[in-house]
Amino acid sequence: MVGYLLSPIYLMKSRLLSLLCFTSATISSLAADRPNIVFIFTDDHCEQALSAYDPSRMTTPNMDRLAKEGMLFNRCYVTNAICGPSRAVILTGKYSHLNGFMTNGNSFNGDQQTFPKLLQKVGYQTAVLGKWHLKTTPQGFDHFQILPGQGAYYNPAMRVMGKDGKEVPTKVTGYTSDIITDLTLDWLKEKRDDSKPFMVMCQHKAPHRNWQPGPDYLTWLDDKTIPEPDTLYDDYKGRTSAASEQTMEIKRHLSANDLKLNKPRGLNPEQLEKWNAAYGPKNEAFEKAKATMSEKEIIQWKYQRYVKDYLRCVKSVDDGIGRILDYLDESGLAKNTIVIYSSDQGWYLGEHGWYDKRWMYEESLRTPLLVRWPGTVKAGSRNEDIVSNLDFAETFLDVAGVKVPSDMQGRSIVPLLKGEAAEDWRKSFYYHYYEFPGAHSVARHYGVTNGHHKLIHFYQKEEWELFDLKKDPNEMKSVHGDPNYAAVQKEMETELARLRKEFKVPEVDPLRPKRQKKPKAVKKK
Ligand code: CA
């Protein structure tokens, strides 16, 4: 029973499918000329640190190559800006409340429908290498080698797929971003069955906190000053109490470990020597100067230290992408392989004084999306439609000629990749964040945006925000309740209700239908 999985377009294209009976031999010969899929995925990589989007902080030549040779999506929004939940959305094409993985505290039910399983059914070879972060053992893969939990930046413990699909512990020496690239290349070159098309997920840990750079980049950027965002010294006025109650400020919440003022964990003596040679003198100079530095100077120092380490981590990922693209070229695979680059959500590089993600505000709502597909995607093209990680599963299935199951909630972006105008494409987007109480104390909220206006409801607080993104792109002043925006507010409320119904969002938050306590007064330091 494979026929029901194939899209009408593919059915028309393939003469073989006129047969009513399918043998496994037929399936693999059908699959043989279908595009391969290389999905390169990072953790917490924002557009502000990808030069095809924003060249002000660093250059990422290999990611930029994907943009130059493919399509850059300027408005890729995530449904729930946090690691595990984003991954569950990608696998299932369903919002968190339906796939069951709403916060990082949840555990993924791997028995449910996922796109890798559907690809396997039509003859694709599938593999996932690197960060998994869904707790349960991967299903739907011919091979995996994953990091347990968040994973380590150096010499990581890993779980490799053993016989019968079980996880077998192993340990690898080296820098994790390089290791994940090596594992991906090794699978592409040596481990897969090259008579079948493939889908490989190369999933980096970087640039997740605590941003430990690789051995080649420990002193890179030492001679540079990274520009500060306009909102680094945000005082959180003009919004609800939620913005001031978080615990993700560069000023107050970065630890000594985050700032590399402590001895790093997990490095071997050789790695540690290199590390100390790089950070030792920098830290000594800071410790000496600290007593005479103003509060602002300390924030500036922390910002530079934090952002540079983050950018250094991105640099190693970019190098790895270059190695993968080179291999696809050398092997001749490039012409029939779609390469997708994205991250599980965006991130704050000091905007609003923050690190971390979670909010429906632009920096974490957006995630990079670059797609190269020779012969289909026009080189150097740019798309402004609202697309989402909710669309990835549907897109991968469509690329492979598999009919998208009707219970998936996103939509294949293949028409957009082909440059076809989709008149009925979504004009608004629903977002929902659940992890409170939780790390960094971001209140639960849901909301709707159409790219011009954004309405957010912090529902346990009964507080609302409305932003005019054209007039206030940094989202500094909510206009909720402003009579000049009464009509817009009403319109956005109606749209929010419509989307909640369309996506089958339960009226009461399924995790904890309680009211959040009244805010405490914010301590100013
Ligand atoms: Ca993440």
Side-chain angles (χ1 to χ4, degrees):
M1 268 309 292
V2 166
Y4 77 97
L5 290 164
L6 298 162
S7 74
I9 296 160
Y10 202 83
L11 282 166
M12 280 189 288
K13 276 184 185 169
S14 176
R15 278 185 218 160
L16 287 165
L17 283 167
S18 62
L19 297 167
L20 286 171
C21 293
F22 297 92
T23 63
S24 59
T26 315
I27 293 165
S28 59
S29 65
L30 268 176
D33 59 351
R34 289 194 223 168
N36 304 304
I37 299 168
V38 174
F39 180 52
I40 305 171
F41 191 60
T42 41
D43 196 316
D44 298 350
H45 184 207
C46 58
E47 295 175 357
Q48 305 93 291
L50 199 168
S51 46
Y53 286 91
D54 177 351
S56 67
R57 294 172 186 83
M58 74 181 298
T59 54
T60 47
N62 297 298
M63 294 175 192
D64 289 12
R65 192 181 149 193
L66 287 174
K68 270 187 213 120
E69 297 172 1
M71 185 176 277
L72 177 151
F73 286 84
N74 198 37
R75 289 204 296 177
C76 182
Y77 298 156
V78 296
T79 63
N80 182 1
I82 179 142
C83 312
S86 175
R87 288 153 204 269
V89 168
I90 289 170
L91 287 174
T92 61
K94 291 176 186 169
Y95 271 92
S96 307
H97 59 275
L98 292 188
N99 69 44
F101 201 107
M102 285 174 276
T103 76
N104 276 341
N106 291 132
S107 186
F108 186 64
N109 171 10
D111 292 337
Q112 66 187 303
Q113 168 184 277
T114 63
F115 82 84
K117 290 183 188 176
L118 296 174
L119 290 180
Q120 270 188 326
K121 279 192 185 167
V122 295
Y124 269 74
Q125 277 228 309
T126 60
V128 56
L129 290 320
K131 189 161 178 182
W132 175 244
H133 205 219
L134 290 168
K135 292 190 185 158
T136 48
T137 300
Q139 293 187 42
F141 297 95
D142 297 295
H143 178 69
F144 64 74
Q145 184 160 341
I146 54 170
L147 296 165
Q150 297 285 6
Y153 268 109
Y154 279 84
N155 312 320
M158 297 192 87
R159 305 278 187 268
V160 64
M161 184 179 181
K163 282 178 194 154
D164 64 23
K166 293 224 169 81
E167 296 182 19
V168 179
T170 180
K171 196 161 163 61
V172 189
T173 304
Y175 185 60
T176 301
S177 300
D178 299 334
I179 291 167
I180 291 168
T181 300
D182 290 343
L183 290 172
T184 304
L185 286 169
D186 182 50
W187 186 79
L188 285 169
K189 290 177 187 173
E190 311 288 344
K191 291 207 167 76
R192 68 189 176 88
D193 170 357
D194 57 14
S195 71
K196 291 179 173 179
F198 62 83
M199 187 284 297
V200 62
M201 300 166 84
C202 168
Q203 308 211 138
H204 287 280
K205 170 200 171 55
H208 192 278
R209 193 181 181 195
N210 69 338
W211 322 290
Q212 289 186 320
D216 299 338
Y217 291 110
L218 295 168
T219 57
W220 181 63
L221 299 172
D222 269 0
D223 56 342
K224 297 268 188 326
T225 302
I226 308 301
E228 291 175 4
D230 295 340
T231 58
L232 181 60
Y233 307 100
D234 194 348
D235 60 8
Y236 313 116
K237 287 178 186 152
R239 279 141 290 165
T240 65
S241 58
S244 57
E245 286 170 11
Q246 42 60 42
T247 53
M248 55 168 76
E249 289 169 33
I250 289 170
K251 176 179 160 184
R252 296 195 293 164
H253 304 116
L254 285 172
S255 68
N257 193 31
D258 293 330
L259 292 167
K260 317 300 174 327
L261 296 169
N262 279 352
K263 188 183 167 193
R265 296 175 199 138
L267 278 64
N268 65 30
E270 192 192 331
Q271 293 160 341
L272 197 58
E273 196 184 328
K274 218 169 169 184
W275 181 279
N276 288 337
Y279 284 96
K282 292 187 262 191
N283 290 349
E284 254 173 58
F286 172 65
E287 295 296 346
K288 225 183 252 173
K290 209 166 66 175
T292 58
M293 285 164 83
S294 68
E295 186 186 80
K296 187 174 177 184
E297 283 169 336
I298 293 203
I299 296 172
Q300 288 173 326
W301 184 88
K302 286 181 179 178
Y303 169 78
Q304 292 296 328
R305 170 59 59 94
Y306 149 61
V307 173
K308 284 180 185 177
D309 284 342
Y310 178 99
L311 301 178
R312 288 164 180 146
C313 290
V314 173
K315 196 72 179 161
S316 292
V317 172
D318 189 69
D319 288 349
I321 292 177
R323 287 166 59 206
I324 290 173
L325 294 181
D326 287 348
Y327 172 70
L328 294 176
D329 283 345
E330 287 156 21
S331 61
L333 285 167
K335 60 181 184 300
N336 195 32
T337 298
I338 175 169
V339 181
I340 299 101
Y341 177 76
S342 192
S343 172
D344 57 356
Q345 77 309 285
W347 184 260
Y348 297 88
L349 274 187
E351 297 85 3
H352 303 293
W354 293 336
Y355 60 96
D356 213 67
K357 55 254 180 177
R358 300 163 199 271
W359 302 96
M360 196 192 170
Y361 304 136
E362 290 295 297
E363 291 82 356
S364 45
L365 174 68
R366 287 166 182 262
T367 202
L369 177 61
L370 306 169
V371 184
R372 186 184 78 169
W373 191 2
T376 301
V377 171
K378 192 176 163 229
S381 50
R382 221 179 143 93
N383 182 287
E384 299 291 333
D385 291 308
I386 298 174
V387 299
S388 171
N389 60 341
L390 187 68
D391 302 326
F392 291 5
E394 296 82 341
T395 303
F396 298 146
L397 294 173
D398 197 10
V399 165
V402 179
K403 186 171 189 280
V404 177
S406 61
D407 60 347
M408 286 190 174
Q409 297 181 303
R411 191 168 162 185
S412 163
I413 65 167
V414 168
L416 307 180
L417 292 171
K418 288 179 175 167
E420 293 164 2
E423 286 305 316
D424 61 343
W425 196 260
R426 72 168 72 84
K427 299 286 188 283
S428 63
F429 184 77
Y430 179 72
Y431 179 88
H432 201 147
Y433 173 78
Y434 297 88
E435 198 175 299
F436 186 95
H440 303 297
S441 303
V442 172
R444 293 187 198 195
H445 57 289
Y446 57 70
V448 57
T449 182
N450 56 23
H452 183 179
H453 296 107
K454 185 187 290 180
L455 178 70
I456 308 177
H457 187 202
F458 295 93
Y459 52 96
Q460 290 177 301
K461 294 168 162 290
E462 282 307 333
E463 293 186 81
W464 293 81
E465 290 175 351
L466 177 67
F467 295 101
D468 182 336
L469 299 170
K470 295 221 167 125
K471 287 192 182 154
D472 178 22
N474 291 334
E475 299 161 289
M476 296 294 280
K477 187 167 172 29
S478 168
V479 292
H480 190 265
D482 179 337
N484 295 321
Y485 283 88
V488 170
Q489 191 174 310
K490 183 102 188 112
E491 202 180 292
M492 295 302 281
E493 282 166 0
T494 306
E495 187 59 7
L496 179 63
R498 187 188 74 78
L499 290 174
R500 281 175 59 83
K501 199 171 167 197
E502 180 186 331
F503 293 120
K504 303 182 171 73
V505 185
E507 219 160 284
V508 176
D509 179 336
L511 283 185
R512 188 191 293 260
K514 285 183 193 157
R515 250 182 98 84
Q516 194 172 315
K517 280 183 199 158
K518 280 275 174 214
K520 284 183 227 153
V522 185
K523 278 184 204 156
K524 289 279 172 209
K525 280 189 188 172

mmCIF file of all heavy atoms in Angstrom, residues 31-55:
data_model
loop_
_atom_site.group_PDB
_atom_site.id
_atom_site.type_symbol
_atom_site.label_atom_id
_atom_site.label_comp_id
_atom_site.label_asym_id
_atom_site.label_seq_id
_atom_site.Cartn_x
_atom_site.Cartn_y
_atom_site.Cartn_z
ATOM 1 N N ALA A 31 11.716 5.398 -6.543
ATOM 2 C CA ALA A 31 12.360 6.357 -5.663
ATOM 3 C C ALA A 31 13.695 6.823 -6.216
ATOM 4 O O ALA A 31 14.148 7.918 -5.909
ATOM 5 C CB ALA A 31 12.553 5.720 -4.295
ATOM 6 N N ALA A 32 14.310 5.984 -7.061
ATOM 7 C CA ALA A 32 15.708 6.199 -7.425
ATOM 8 C C ALA A 32 16.004 7.585 -7.993
ATOM 9 O O ALA A 32 17.046 8.152 -7.705
ATOM 10 C CB ALA A 32 16.146 5.127 -8.401
ATOM 11 N N ASP A 33 15.097 8.139 -8.779
ATOM 12 C CA ASP A 33 15.421 9.439 -9.376
ATOM 13 C C ASP A 33 14.839 10.616 -8.601
ATOM 14 O O ASP A 33 14.875 11.739 -9.048
ATOM 15 C CB ASP A 33 14.956 9.469 -10.843
ATOM 16 C CG ASP A 33 13.455 9.223 -10.949
ATOM 17 O OD1 ASP A 33 12.840 8.862 -9.916
ATOM 18 O OD2 ASP A 33 12.906 9.401 -12.050
ATOM 19 N N ARG A 34 14.294 10.345 -7.453
ATOM 20 C CA ARG A 34 13.736 11.452 -6.676
ATOM 21 C C ARG A 34 14.852 12.249 -5.983
ATOM 22 O O ARG A 34 15.900 11.699 -5.694
ATOM 23 C CB ARG A 34 12.764 10.916 -5.626
ATOM 24 C CG ARG A 34 11.520 10.417 -6.322
ATOM 25 C CD ARG A 34 10.438 10.208 -5.340
ATOM 26 N NE ARG A 34 9.785 8.966 -5.665
ATOM 27 C CZ ARG A 34 8.929 8.372 -4.854
ATOM 28 N NH1 ARG A 34 8.686 8.885 -3.672
ATOM 29 N NH2 ARG A 34 8.350 7.265 -5.217
ATOM 30 N N PRO A 35 14.575 13.517 -5.676
ATOM 31 C CA PRO A 35 15.644 14.345 -5.086
ATOM 32 C C PRO A 35 16.077 13.833 -3.718
ATOM 33 O O PRO A 35 15.261 13.350 -2.933
ATOM 34 C CB PRO A 35 14.989 15.726 -4.940
ATOM 35 C CG PRO A 35 13.757 15.700 -5.764
ATOM 36 C CD PRO A 35 13.328 14.272 -5.870
ATOM 37 N N ASN A 36 17.364 13.935 -3.469
ATOM 38 C CA ASN A 36 17.863 13.694 -2.121
ATOM 39 C C ASN A 36 17.613 14.946 -1.288
ATOM 40 O O ASN A 36 17.501 16.048 -1.832
ATOM 41 C CB ASN A 36 19.367 13.422 -2.160
ATOM 42 C CG ASN A 36 19.698 12.285 -3.082
ATOM 43 O OD1 ASN A 36 19.178 11.176 -2.934
ATOM 44 N ND2 ASN A 36 20.540 12.551 -4.083
ATOM 45 N N ILE A 37 17.546 14.753 0.015
ATOM 46 C CA ILE A 37 17.294 15.891 0.913
ATOM 47 C C ILE A 37 18.396 15.960 1.964
ATOM 48 O O ILE A 37 18.618 14.991 2.699
ATOM 49 C CB ILE A 37 15.922 15.730 1.612
ATOM 50 C CG1 ILE A 37 14.787 15.689 0.569
ATOM 51 C CG2 ILE A 37 15.701 16.863 2.613
ATOM 52 C CD1 ILE A 37 13.436 15.239 1.129
ATOM 53 N N VAL A 38 19.093 17.087 2.009
ATOM 54 C CA VAL A 38 20.067 17.330 3.073
ATOM 55 C C VAL A 38 19.519 18.483 3.913
ATOM 56 O O VAL A 38 19.402 19.606 3.427
ATOM 57 C CB VAL A 38 21.462 17.683 2.508
ATOM 58 C CG1 VAL A 38 22.411 18.064 3.642
ATOM 59 C CG2 VAL A 38 22.028 16.510 1.707
ATOM 60 N N PHE A 39 19.158 18.160 5.123
ATOM 61 C CA PHE A 39 18.575 19.161 6.029
ATOM 62 C C PHE A 39 19.624 19.496 7.085
ATOM 63 O O PHE A 39 19.953 18.661 7.927
ATOM 64 C CB PHE A 39 17.316 18.577 6.673
ATOM 65 C CG PHE A 39 16.625 19.511 7.640
ATOM 66 C CD1 PHE A 39 16.282 20.800 7.276
ATOM 67 C CD2 PHE A 39 16.297 19.072 8.925
ATOM 68 C CE1 PHE A 39 15.626 21.659 8.174
ATOM 69 C CE2 PHE A 39 15.639 19.915 9.821
ATOM 70 C CZ PHE A 39 15.304 21.210 9.440
ATOM 71 N N ILE A 40 20.167 20.698 6.999
ATOM 72 C CA ILE A 40 21.187 21.127 7.970
ATOM 73 C C ILE A 40 20.503 22.088 8.942
ATOM 74 O O ILE A 40 19.902 23.084 8.543
ATOM 75 C CB ILE A 40 22.385 21.802 7.284
ATOM 76 C CG1 ILE A 40 22.967 20.869 6.207
ATOM 77 C CG2 ILE A 40 23.455 22.176 8.308
ATOM 78 C CD1 ILE A 40 24.020 21.514 5.320
ATOM 79 N N PHE A 41 20.622 21.744 10.215
ATOM 80 C CA PHE A 41 19.778 22.381 11.225
ATOM 81 C C PHE A 41 20.650 22.751 12.422
ATOM 82 O O PHE A 41 21.445 21.948 12.886
ATOM 83 C CB PHE A 41 18.727 21.346 11.613
ATOM 84 C CG PHE A 41 17.585 21.846 12.447
ATOM 85 C CD1 PHE A 41 16.753 22.844 11.986
ATOM 86 C CD2 PHE A 41 17.310 21.268 13.685
ATOM 87 C CE1 PHE A 41 15.671 23.274 12.740
ATOM 88 C CE2 PHE A 41 16.228 21.681 14.437
ATOM 89 C CZ PHE A 41 15.406 22.691 13.963
ATOM 90 N N THR A 42 20.482 23.974 12.899
ATOM 91 C CA THR A 42 21.251 24.392 14.074
ATOM 92 C C THR A 42 20.307 24.684 15.228
ATOM 93 O O THR A 42 19.093 24.707 15.066
ATOM 94 C CB THR A 42 22.066 25.665 13.785
ATOM 95 O OG1 THR A 42 21.263 26.545 13.016
ATOM 96 C CG2 THR A 42 23.352 25.339 13.069
ATOM 97 N N ASP A 43 20.908 24.960 16.375
ATOM 98 C CA ASP A 43 20.143 25.220 17.580
ATOM 99 C C ASP A 43 20.384 26.662 18.011
ATOM 100 O O ASP A 43 21.502 27.019 18.360
ATOM 101 C CB ASP A 43 20.607 24.246 18.669
ATOM 102 C CG ASP A 43 19.628 24.166 19.804
ATOM 103 O OD1 ASP A 43 19.156 25.227 20.237
ATOM 104 O OD2 ASP A 43 19.340 23.056 20.264
ATOM 105 N N ASP A 44 19.365 27.484 17.936
ATOM 106 C CA ASP A 44 19.447 28.875 18.415
ATOM 107 C C ASP A 44 20.223 29.811 17.484
ATOM 108 O O ASP A 44 20.775 30.816 17.943
ATOM 109 C CB ASP A 44 20.084 28.973 19.830
ATOM 110 C CG ASP A 44 19.299 28.263 20.909
ATOM 111 O OD1 ASP A 44 18.163 27.837 20.650
ATOM 112 O OD2 ASP A 44 19.829 28.148 22.038
ATOM 113 N N HIS A 45 20.284 29.515 16.217
ATOM 114 C CA HIS A 45 21.005 30.407 15.302
ATOM 115 C C HIS A 45 20.054 31.450 14.715
ATOM 116 O O HIS A 45 19.108 31.112 14.020
ATOM 117 C CB HIS A 45 21.654 29.604 14.172
ATOM 118 C CG HIS A 45 22.485 30.460 13.263
ATOM 119 N ND1 HIS A 45 22.715 30.138 11.954
ATOM 120 C CD2 HIS A 45 23.132 31.629 13.482
ATOM 121 C CE1 HIS A 45 23.473 31.075 11.403
ATOM 122 N NE2 HIS A 45 23.745 31.986 12.311
ATOM 123 N N CYS A 46 20.347 32.718 14.980
ATOM 124 C CA CYS A 46 19.456 33.791 14.525
ATOM 125 C C CYS A 46 19.961 34.436 13.237
ATOM 126 O O CYS A 46 21.125 34.331 12.873
ATOM 127 C CB CYS A 46 19.328 34.839 15.607
ATOM 128 S SG CYS A 46 20.894 35.566 16.101
ATOM 129 N N GLU A 47 19.048 35.135 12.594
ATOM 130 C CA GLU A 47 19.370 35.827 11.339
ATOM 131 C C GLU A 47 20.424 36.919 11.541
ATOM 132 O O GLU A 47 21.155 37.242 10.607
ATOM 133 C CB GLU A 47 18.083 36.440 10.759
ATOM 134 C CG GLU A 47 17.071 35.383 10.365
ATOM 135 C CD GLU A 47 15.742 35.961 9.887
ATOM 136 O OE1 GLU A 47 15.561 37.197 9.916
ATOM 137 O OE2 GLU A 47 14.883 35.156 9.471
ATOM 138 N N GLN A 48 20.519 37.467 12.771
ATOM 139 C CA GLN A 48 21.482 38.542 13.016
ATOM 140 C C GLN A 48 22.923 38.039 12.927
ATOM 141 O O GLN A 48 23.855 38.850 12.898
ATOM 142 C CB GLN A 48 21.280 39.150 14.417
ATOM 143 C CG GLN A 48 19.887 39.653 14.735
ATOM 144 C CD GLN A 48 19.052 38.585 15.431
ATOM 145 O OE1 GLN A 48 18.680 37.591 14.817
ATOM 146 N NE2 GLN A 48 18.716 38.785 16.700
ATOM 147 N N ALA A 49 23.116 36.726 12.920
ATOM 148 C CA ALA A 49 24.471 36.160 12.826
ATOM 149 C C ALA A 49 24.586 35.291 11.583
ATOM 150 O O ALA A 49 25.238 34.239 11.591
ATOM 151 C CB ALA A 49 24.794 35.360 14.081
ATOM 152 N N LEU A 50 23.941 35.711 10.513
ATOM 153 C CA LEU A 50 24.034 34.993 9.235
ATOM 154 C C LEU A 50 24.106 36.095 8.169
ATOM 155 O O LEU A 50 23.135 36.844 7.997
ATOM 156 C CB LEU A 50 22.792 34.103 9.057
ATOM 157 C CG LEU A 50 22.854 32.962 8.052
ATOM 158 C CD1 LEU A 50 21.679 32.016 8.204
ATOM 159 C CD2 LEU A 50 23.012 33.399 6.620
ATOM 160 N N SER A 51 25.270 36.220 7.522
ATOM 161 C CA SER A 51 25.498 37.443 6.743
ATOM 162 C C SER A 51 24.574 37.612 5.544
ATOM 163 O O SER A 51 24.367 38.735 5.097
ATOM 164 C CB SER A 51 26.967 37.574 6.341
ATOM 165 O OG SER A 51 27.490 36.384 5.843
ATOM 166 N N ALA A 52 23.963 36.543 5.039
ATOM 167 C CA ALA A 52 22.991 36.717 3.957
ATOM 168 C C ALA A 52 21.772 37.510 4.451
ATOM 169 O O ALA A 52 21.088 38.160 3.669
ATOM 170 C CB ALA A 52 22.545 35.366 3.406
ATOM 171 N N TYR A 53 21.513 37.460 5.756
ATOM 172 C CA TYR A 53 20.426 38.245 6.363
ATOM 173 C C TYR A 53 20.945 39.568 6.914
ATOM 174 O O TYR A 53 20.289 40.592 6.809
ATOM 175 C CB TYR A 53 19.768 37.465 7.516
ATOM 176 C CG TYR A 53 18.874 36.332 7.080
ATOM 177 C CD1 TYR A 53 19.370 35.040 6.922
ATOM 178 C CD2 TYR A 53 17.518 36.548 6.839
ATOM 179 C CE1 TYR A 53 18.536 33.996 6.533
ATOM 180 C CE2 TYR A 53 16.690 35.516 6.453
ATOM 181 C CZ TYR A 53 17.201 34.236 6.303
ATOM 182 O OH TYR A 53 16.378 33.208 5.922
ATOM 183 N N ASP A 54 22.077 39.491 7.596
ATOM 184 C CA ASP A 54 22.579 40.654 8.318
ATOM 185 C C ASP A 54 24.100 40.551 8.400
ATOM 186 O O ASP A 54 24.631 39.745 9.169
ATOM 187 C CB ASP A 54 21.955 40.655 9.728
ATOM 188 C CG ASP A 54 22.465 41.796 10.597
ATOM 189 O OD1 ASP A 54 23.419 42.501 10.187
ATOM 190 O OD2 ASP A 54 21.912 41.984 11.694
ATOM 191 N N PRO A 55 24.813 41.340 7.591
ATOM 192 C CA PRO A 55 26.273 41.194 7.562
ATOM 193 C C PRO A 55 26.999 42.028 8.616
ATOM 194 O O PRO A 55 28.225 42.124 8.579
ATOM 195 C CB PRO A 55 26.609 41.694 6.146
ATOM 196 C CG PRO A 55 25.535 42.671 5.816
ATOM 197 C CD PRO A 55 24.308 42.309 6.616
#
